[in-house]
Amino acid sequence: MLDTSITMNPDVAPQQIIKTVQLAEALNIDSCYIADQGFTLDLYVTLTAVACNTKRIRLGPGVTHPYTRHPVVTAVSIASLDQFSGGRAFLGIGAGGSRSLVPMQIARSKPVQMARETVEIARLLWKGEPVTYAGEFYKLAEARIGFPCRKDIEIHWAARGPKMLELGGALADVNLLHAIPRFELANVVATVRRGAEKAGRTTKLQYAAMLVYDDASRAIARARTVYRLVDSSDEVKAKLGLTAEKLAEMRRLVTTSGPNSAAFLVSDEILSHYVIEGDAADCAGQIRQLIADHGLTGITVEVPDPANAEKLLSFAADVLSRL
Amino acid sequence: MTTTADTIILGDWVWAGPGRLIENAAVAVRSGVVLEVGPQTALLPKYEGAKKLGGDGRFVLPGMISTHTHFFQTFLKGVGQGLPLRPWIQKVTSPASITMNEREAYLSAAIGIIDAIRSGTTAIFEFSYAFPNPGIFNAIVQAYMDLGVRGWLGIGMNDDGAEHGLNPALIQPLEKIPSLLDQITDSVQKQGNGLVYPALAPSSIRGMSKKAIPVISEYARSKGLIFSLHVNEITIDNEVAQAKFGMPLIPALADHGALSERFLAVHCVRMTAEDITTLASYGAGVSHNPVSNMYLGSGVAPITEMMKAGIPLSLGVDGAASNNSQDMIETLKFAVLGQRAALRDPACIQAEDALRMATEGGARVLQADGWLGRLEPGYKADVTVFNFNSAKSVPVFDPIATTVFNSGEENVETVVVDGKVILEGGKLVTIDEEKLLQEARSAAVELIRRANIQVR
């Protein structure tokens, strides 16, 4: 059975976020990811509010990162969310993106090690025992969570760089394949699998799809693609034919005026690598092909505009029902 | 040898230009140019084979020239209504202008142009913002071309203004501006194919550094382009100029080489006697936007004073976010009534003054006098025909007063640009209007959503 989920930024009114997740729940979507973008509504406040207004859907960051929250804070937050939601929480983690780190002027140094330590610490703490830990970045002495918590809270991992991908395979329960151009998917999946094999474990592969079904959804997708281009590896940028000049202008516009102002720099050709486009049958066909080609275990539907998600979610439900 | 005309436009009245109203007259057109204007009795037999437009009860006049608008704002009609200027710019116009894509730019321009055509407009000066996406300029030119209207595309630019709330996406470093302008003016010229002309439209003094004024002025001079600027719409322009140049705006513009006959000052509401004398001495033109000035509570521009000083005056509708239409007929009426109300003097301005500003005046400030704005032999055949057969207009004793005070878009029957009919029998002939309106309606809603603009 395919795992289904939605992912969104908490950058609209609180009631709209809750309404959108409730709608996803009503459409039998399994999980919901909420992004940790630093300047939007807060991740954990939002997740808690959503938890209190839903019954079944599973909830977690989509994704958080180790640069602005101490691993203990993250582990305690997730365990708390798990308590408030009746065991529905998971920890989604990645390396952090420019959208929050650039304005905070935080350099993304050693993301692999930072993320690894966060996951290790969280898992140790969730066992309920005192933890003493000596990592490169974090050290703990007899640290212990003071309330009962679930030991097997899932780790969902989002990565793009090869080392992060391999570590995700080795560490995570679910690898979220997010913001990856389709021509990179085979490489990415192979890298994750290599990590899992080395560690002697299996991992689930959840592919995040941006669905485009009309002019409006295409325009939104274009703006949302800006950050993923800015944050791509040099190889991907080169394959997409992004010149240094174009990237510099993209970076300037997106940091000063937001992704809408830079959307025009995302050509149709570039966009085509990041979206699933067509009517419900076409989109389902393309996704079926991806599942077959890459052994995906789940599909995440990106909700780029949670304030107006009804149309997208009903389209997505139609697509998912055809898989 | 018989003379031939392509088209002959008949009316109970032809207003060829200020002071020249001819009854039972006709305009003969050949190859996009006016061939002859005169009594029907003389012209009808002479141009027997020509296609006939107009007819009984019709008023034939030069197409109107709107010298100021911002097309993208047609998607913002009524949005942020009543907000003060700065939050309105930050929360409404900036997010829309930086978010808009080419299709939305095309559609917003197209509905603005249609509204203008339906009010008898045949030429429009679009004062564009400094859109980060240069493709927007091409989309606007395409809308002009598809609808068949003559246009000036004022290319927006800013190199300053973040402290005044200008969105950074709309600001470029000054050293980049000339090459950007080279690129955009060149592409507008090519795409515009003699119907759409590039111009410079560097927003306002808030968006320009001290160094930028001479650079832009020199660029305009060397390329022979119109240089349009928002001038003294409210007091902030003088305050900013005082801070940047140590003097009010108009003296600063004079000092830094901006003023000339190619300079088009928009609004000019807050004007001193010295300001008026200075503009007049350089022959600089003014675009009077009475509806917008009243809508935004900016005040009433001293048009009668400027008229006396000999400043070339024209009319503009301004963007549809502060009007909220592109209707030049309304603008004619507001231009007259605003002056009369402000001066408490019904004799201070007449209907023909407004019509002159909207035709010959527009041509003059755009340096198109001599070939546009009148119906005389050799002038471009840009013609509007009113049909006064409506309760609002009947009876007609003075067609000029009727046009200005008691007509509307419903009376505009035929519009001709460059000799080509673009509106006939009240129907657009260049595009499928219903289909376009439908697409524009939903595109505007989507843009507002995507740009996250609060409607109320």
Side-chain angles (χ1 to χ4, degrees):
Chain A
M1 192 58 186
L2 201 66
D3 295 322
T4 58
S5 54
I6 59 167
T7 181
M8 62 190 183
N9 288 329
D11 55 3
V12 295
Q15 285 310 319
Q16 290 174 323
I17 297 172
I18 291 170
K19 211 174 113 195
T20 297
V21 186
Q22 285 172 334
L23 180 59
E25 189 173 66
L27 292 167
N28 284 322
I29 304 271
D30 301 316
S31 316
C32 170
Y33 295 95
I34 301 285
D36 184 12
Q37 300 285 23
F39 298 92
T40 58
L41 290 173
D42 175 71
L43 170 65
Y44 290 107
V45 173
T46 305
L47 283 170
T48 309
V50 169
C52 294
N53 286 283
T54 51
K55 291 191 175 65
R56 188 192 52 77
I57 197 163
R58 302 174 67 238
L59 302 165
V63 289
T64 187
H65 59 85
Y67 291 97
T68 55
R69 301 177 201 268
H70 191 282
V72 173
V73 174
T74 294
V76 169
S77 299
I78 293 294
S80 307
L81 177 68
D82 200 52
Q83 292 297 304
F84 277 100
S85 65
R88 292 189 276 144
F90 56 84
L91 168 58
I93 188 151
S98 340
R99 190 167 181 178
S100 55
L101 298 183
V102 168
M104 292 187 208
Q105 291 291 287
I106 295 173
R108 198 162 47 164
S109 59
K110 295 206 172 180
V112 181
Q113 184 60 19
M114 292 276 278
R116 172 201 283 278
E117 292 185 15
T118 303
V119 169
E120 286 176 354
I121 288 170
R123 279 184 168 154
L124 289 168
L125 286 169
W126 292 336
K127 285 181 180 165
E129 292 156 12
V131 177
T132 297
Y133 184 88
E136 189 181 335
F137 295 99
Y138 301 108
K139 296 185 177 29
L140 303 182
E142 298 290 311
R144 181 178 187 170
I145 291 187
F147 57 89
C149 51
R150 199 154 56 89
K151 294 179 182 59
D152 56 350
I153 293 176
E154 276 186 355
I155 302 291
H156 293 217
W157 186 270
R160 273 186 279 184
K163 283 182 190 158
M164 274 296 279
L165 287 164
E166 197 168 329
L167 184 60
L171 275 186
D173 303 295
V174 177
N175 273 274
L176 181 58
L177 309 174
H178 183 251
I180 292 163
R182 273 198 299 286
F183 58 76
E184 281 293 293
L185 205 50
N187 271 338
V188 162
V189 167
T191 312
V192 172
R193 288 233 165 85
R194 192 161 57 241
E197 276 160 26
K198 277 189 197 161
R201 47 179 296 154
T202 57
T203 185
K204 291 182 169 181
L205 297 171
Q206 182 92 10
Y207 177 72
M210 193 147 56
L211 300 175
V212 167
Y213 46 91
D214 61 10
D215 288 346
S217 57
R218 188 179 303 105
I220 291 170
R222 213 183 286 281
R224 291 291 159 155
T225 303
V226 170
Y227 278 111
R228 52 199 64 176
L229 296 179
V230 170
D231 287 342
S232 289
S233 68
D234 292 343
E235 292 96 313
V236 167
K237 285 169 184 160
K239 281 184 191 166
L240 291 169
L242 284 168
T243 60
E245 194 187 5
K246 198 166 169 182
L247 271 163
E249 181 63 358
M250 202 179 274
R251 216 171 269 124
R252 178 184 84 85
L253 290 173
V254 77
T255 46
T256 59
S257 308
N260 282 334
S261 68
F264 75 94
L265 292 166
V266 180
S267 67
D268 285 344
E269 146 61 23
I270 288 176
L271 189 65
S272 70
H273 299 295
Y274 289 91
V275 298
I276 306 275
E277 183 165 2
D279 62 19
D282 293 337
C283 290
Q286 291 171 54
I287 292 172
R288 259 199 307 273
Q289 191 62 50
L290 291 175
I291 292 171
D293 290 350
H294 305 292
L296 307 175
T297 59
I299 297 296
T300 295
V301 174
E302 293 193 43
V303 183
D305 182 15
N308 300 286
E310 293 86 352
K311 197 172 172 188
L312 167 64
L313 287 184
S314 65
F315 179 79
D318 189 4
V319 172
L320 295 174
S321 73
R322 294 163 189 261
L323 298 176
Chain B
M1 198 181 95
T2 54
T3 323
T4 58
D6 309 327
T7 313
I8 181 159
I9 309 168
L10 311 165
D12 283 3
W13 311 270
V14 169
W15 185 73
R20 194 158 175 239
L21 181 69
I22 318 162
E23 292 192 3
N24 298 316
V27 180
V29 174
R30 187 174 61 197
S31 306
V33 172
V34 174
L35 198 59
E36 192 176 353
V37 179
Q40 288 182 16
T41 47
L43 266 64
L44 270 174
K46 194 167 170 189
Y47 303 110
E48 240 183 339
K51 174 183 167 130
K52 289 184 183 61
L53 294 170
D56 291 346
R58 308 305 201 275
F59 180 38
V60 180
L61 68 160
M64 288 193 272
I65 300 166
S66 167
T67 56
H68 190 69
T69 189
H70 312 282
F71 284 141
F72 81 96
Q73 292 184 8
T74 63
F75 270 18
L76 302 173
K77 289 169 185 163
V79 176
Q81 215 253 118
L83 278 179
L85 188 65
R86 187 172 169 141
W88 181 71
I89 289 171
Q90 286 176 321
K91 293 177 179 172
V92 180
T93 60
S94 283
S97 59
I98 65 173
T99 302
M100 182 167 266
N101 62 33
E102 287 95 332
R103 185 67 189 161
E104 290 156 348
Y106 175 85
L107 291 167
S108 57
I111 60 170
I113 293 169
I114 293 171
D115 190 7
I117 293 170
R118 290 194 161 285
S119 72
T121 309
T122 54
I124 306 168
F125 187 105
E126 150 68 7
F127 192 112
S128 281
Y129 278 27
F131 299 109
N133 175 2
I136 298 280
F137 298 108
N138 300 99
I140 296 169
V141 176
Q142 200 53 50
Y144 274 125
M145 301 300 287
D146 289 352
L147 285 152
V149 158
R150 196 177 299 286
W152 275 259
L153 181 71
I155 302 155
M157 71 206 83
N158 304 288
D159 76 324
D160 199 5
E163 76 274 26
H164 297 295
L166 207 65
N167 191 300
L170 306 175
I171 303 174
Q172 291 283 355
L174 181 59
E175 58 274 20
K176 266 192 168 180
I177 287 179
S179 65
L180 268 174
L181 287 177
D182 283 346
Q183 192 191 321
I184 302 167
T185 50
D186 191 48
S187 99
V188 169
Q189 212 129 30
K190 283 190 186 125
Q191 195 188 355
N193 198 24
L195 196 65
V196 184
Y197 324 106
L200 306 183
S203 73
S204 73
I205 195 63
R206 275 162 284 156
M208 295 184 83
S209 68
K210 191 174 177 176
K211 280 187 187 158
I213 295 278
V215 172
I216 302 298
S217 303
E218 175 52 26
Y219 192 93
R221 195 200 58 74
S222 68
K223 307 263 175 174
L225 300 174
I226 299 293
F227 173 2
S228 190
L229 188 73
H230 290 107
V231 172
N232 295 354
E233 180 175 7
I234 50 174
T235 50
I236 192 170
D237 283 352
N238 276 332
E239 289 157 17
V240 171
Q242 197 70 47
K244 283 186 183 174
F245 301 95
M247 61 183 99
L249 180 57
I250 288 179
L253 291 170
D255 258 26
H256 290 77
L259 298 186
S260 77
E261 288 181 343
R262 276 175 289 92
F263 186 81
L264 175 56
V266 181
H267 297 307
C268 296
V269 175
R270 307 281 182 146
M271 298 287 279
T272 62
E274 294 77 42
D275 287 339
I276 292 174
T277 311
T278 306
L279 277 192
S281 67
Y282 283 93
V286 167
S287 174
H288 176 39
N289 292 227
V291 181
S292 169
N293 297 157
M294 291 186 204
Y295 183 95
L296 296 174
S298 308
V300 179
I303 288 304
T304 46
E305 293 301 310
M306 292 194 257
M307 215 185 295
K308 277 183 213 149
I311 293 175
L313 297 173
S314 67
L315 291 180
V317 288
D318 206 352
S322 64
N323 182 299
N324 292 338
S325 74
Q326 299 289 285
D327 184 340
M328 275 293 276
I329 303 171
E330 282 182 5
T331 298
L332 292 170
K333 186 168 179 173
F334 276 68
V336 175
L337 301 192
Q339 294 303 306
R340 290 183 180 177
L343 300 178
R344 299 183 178 186
D345 176 7
C348 67
I349 184 168
Q350 298 308 322
E352 191 171 47
D353 293 324
L355 213 47
R356 186 187 62 238
M357 286 194 265
T359 53
E360 193 183 60
R364 171 83 189 277
V365 302
L366 296 172
Q367 296 287 290
D369 46 337
W371 57 276
L372 206 64
R374 292 182 66 93
L375 297 179
E376 305 286 1
Y379 276 63
K380 288 285 185 185
D382 290 10
V383 188
T384 290
V385 181
F386 280 72
N387 178 353
F388 288 137
N389 189 25
S390 71
K392 189 175 184 179
S393 305
V394 166
V396 182
F397 297 110
D398 174 352
I400 295 170
T402 302
T403 303
V404 174
F405 299 125
N406 56 306
S407 74
E409 294 195 352
E410 66 277 14
N411 298 109
V412 176
E413 184 181 65
T414 300
V415 174
V416 175
V417 177
D418 229 20
K420 295 182 190 74
V421 180
I422 60 169
L423 184 86
E424 189 169 10
K427 196 173 160 21
L428 277 176
V429 298
T430 44
I431 54 141
D432 182 339
E433 184 175 6
E434 194 44 52
K435 200 171 146 204
L436 191 124
L437 292 185
Q438 202 175 343
E439 191 186 349
R441 207 176 285 133
S442 54
V445 172
E446 288 303 334
L447 174 69
I448 298 287
R449 275 186 191 166
R450 212 164 73 248
N452 201 17
I453 295 169
Q454 299 294 316
V455 174
R456 274 178 288 273

